[in-house]
Amino acid sequence: MNSFNFSDECFADIQMLRYRLKDFSGLSLQQKKLVYYLSQATLFGRDITFDQNCAYNLEIRKMLEAIYIIGVLNNQLPDESPDDAQNKKAFVEYLKRVWFSNGIHHHYGCEKFTPGFSQDYLRSMLKSGLIPADHLPLHPGEDVDGMIARLFPVIFDSQVLPKRVNKQDDADLVATSACNFYRGVTQEEVEHFYGDMKQRYADDDAPMSYGLNSTLVKEDGIIKELTWKMGGMYGKAIEKIVFWLEKAAGVAENERQKRCIEKLVEFYRSGDLRIFNDYCIEWVGENDAQVDFINGFIEVYGDPMGLKATWEGLVEYNDREATLRTQLISRHAQWFENNSPVDPRFRKPHVTGVSAKAICAAMLGGEEYPSTAIGINLPNADWIRAQYGSKSVSISNITEAYNESSGSQKFQKEFVIDEETRSLIARYGNLCDALHTDLHECLGHGSGQLLPGVDPDALKAYSSTIEEARADLFGLYYLADDKLVELGLTPDGEAYKSSYYTYMMNGMLTQLCRIKPGHLIEEAHMRNRSLIARWCFEHGKEQNVVELVRNDGKLYVKINDYAALRQLIATLLAEVQRIKSEGDYQAAHDLVEAYAVSVDKEIHEEILSRYRQLNLAPYKGFINPVLIPSFDEMGNIVDVDVDYTEKYDEQMLRYSRDYATLI
């Protein structure tokens, strides 16, 4: 472990990391080939994600990369003045941020990047005459001046497409969001379009995820969907994905995995969401293979309406040792459900098909790259969860990379209140954080049920925040349960306190290092953490459960009664589950807007100042390993090796060269 270099370069607010493919050499040749083919399918979805995030992203990326290759790598542009050198440095940072966020908006905060270089500098690069026209995103009949007039306002004008996803209360969320899921329609029109669709299929026993794989447009006054499929929108990228999926099906580990891959291919060919349901059912039922994957239009965080899914890919294989923990949790899923502190009406009487494992990521793509989750629970459709169960994974080698490169000692010394609490976190923190992820993904998302007739989309823009809060609360509640000690998952009844403290500290204070001054909290996971921490703080004031105190002039979280904090968590879990189960939009609105959105200016300024002094990047992402197949004289793969030496810019330029399909 110590010989592997987890950390790589830093830029802006980002640190790049590497993750190890533990025990990859121990996979069989068939499994290695499966990983390789699935990885190719994963990388070919990249352009889709860029385009979904904003309609101008692909053109801007192509233009910036042309300048970078000619002017930075090949150094062919004119000699630089001191001002040009500063502009060049800022330009490189801007491009790296665009690569990282799959577009011109921040991957977490969703605000548009402000270039640190001047328009004149960029214009001079483009008009130098040294960049070949076919390297630029010129429209038919367009010259460089026309391209500049078209793209510069998108890059430089702060009023043009300022937010990728806008969640501001009382705004038209569709009209004010830059994401490329809607064209020429309003929020009201979107709600009516899909509301009417749901009414037409109200008696469907297997409801579709309406709007999941389409762009909604208005043309000549008529609203219609442009479906993402072969022969349709994003067809060129999907053709490549399908090509590699079909090769993967040929080396599938078992018949059900083969059917699963073939069903996904069928969905990509047709765009039929009924077939997507069939694919999800096949996928969640396949638990015997060592290699698994996620590929497609999955999560809806990038849509302000919570309907349309951003493309993502993940290739994985089992971490057998770490999986023992997750399997132990999943075997007792019914016990956890039965003893949940929610109204019995909202509990599942029979928990079905809960499977969980720890995995090693082998390739990240789309929305999962370069920034990725540490745990995943799918599928998202509530009715499939209820009838067929869910599949949860904790990504052990991603967590390993975070733990090995986090600079946690400096961070904890600055923000944790005392040595006793720091010692508690040092002793139990990694274990309990991993357990919280397992409980969140394995059980939290799969717990509870909607009441009959409740629309799964009833909470609208607040759905993602409420769902993440529900899963986090479930995990937090059970971290402190004696059942975990009984199962041998925690060593004693004190361990949970490490996660309770870091969660409250993060939700109330330290996650603010990711927010720009004057901004609100926008991202669903950050809103979720703020909601839980601030609600518990406010509702525990009378009993002085949690305090904000000052030591030597610095603000800290102080927890006075951990047992009482757990009861507050139980109370909030019961309410959040009620909101979801009943589809109570107004209660979701009130809860999120009251506790999850606003930022205290003075506290924010202090946290930013203290964090800057630590010289730590608030965000981290990953450089993928390179999978290198070896061939025999007949062209057959005989082995797959792993290389970790590719640099960040090399990887991004290679992906733009070898996996570009839409530009």
Side-chain angles (χ1 to χ4, degrees), residues 374-385:
I374 59 173
I376 296 171
N377 177 274
L378 292 171
N380 286 325
D382 284 290
W383 74 270
I384 296 179
R385 290 176 180 273

Side-chain angles (χ1 to χ4, degrees), residues 408-426:
S408 60
Q409 290 186 347
K410 287 196 298 183
F411 177 84
Q412 289 173 12
K413 189 172 182 180
E414 178 61 35
F415 289 108
V416 176
I417 189 168
D418 53 35
E419 182 57 38
E420 180 182 355
T421 309
R422 287 193 290 271
S423 177
L424 184 78
I425 294 168

Side-chain angles (χ1 to χ4, degrees), residues 58 143 154 183 607 637:
L58 288 171
D143 59 13
V154 180
R183 300 177 188 171
I607 297 301
I637 294 178

Side-chain angles (χ1 to χ4, degrees), residues 165-173 176 462 520 522 527 593:
V165 182
N166 183 30
K167 295 184 179 180
Q168 183 177 341
D169 194 25
D170 298 328
D172 184 320
L173 304 184
T176 58
Y462 300 101
L520 300 175
E522 299 279 358
R527 283 188 166 192
E593 293 296 334

Side-chain angles (χ1 to χ4, degrees), residues 33-49 236-249 261 264-265 268 293-296 311-315 363-366 624 627 658-659 661:
K33 290 165 69 173
L34 180 58
V35 168
Y36 176 73
Y37 294 148
L38 290 172
S39 294
Q40 293 296 104
T42 291
L43 296 176
F44 268 111
R46 180 173 182 247
D47 277 6
I48 299 176
T49 306
K236 290 182 179 180
I238 292 172
E239 285 177 9
K240 293 291 188 179
I241 295 169
V242 165
F243 173 84
W244 288 103
L245 286 176
E246 289 180 330
K247 291 183 76 66
I261 297 172
L264 178 58
V265 167
Y268 274 138
F293 70 100
I294 295 166
N295 185 295
W311 194 93
E312 66 180 78
L314 169 67
V315 186
M363 193 63 64
L364 308 173
N624 278 327
L627 300 181
D658 294 349
Y659 299 98
T661 53

Side-chain angles (χ1 to χ4, degrees), residues 50 64 94-104 113:
F50 266 88
L64 298 178
Y94 181 84
L95 174 56
K96 289 182 177 181
R97 299 184 79 182
V98 169
W99 282 332
F100 188 90
S101 295
N102 294 304
I104 62 174
F113 298 131

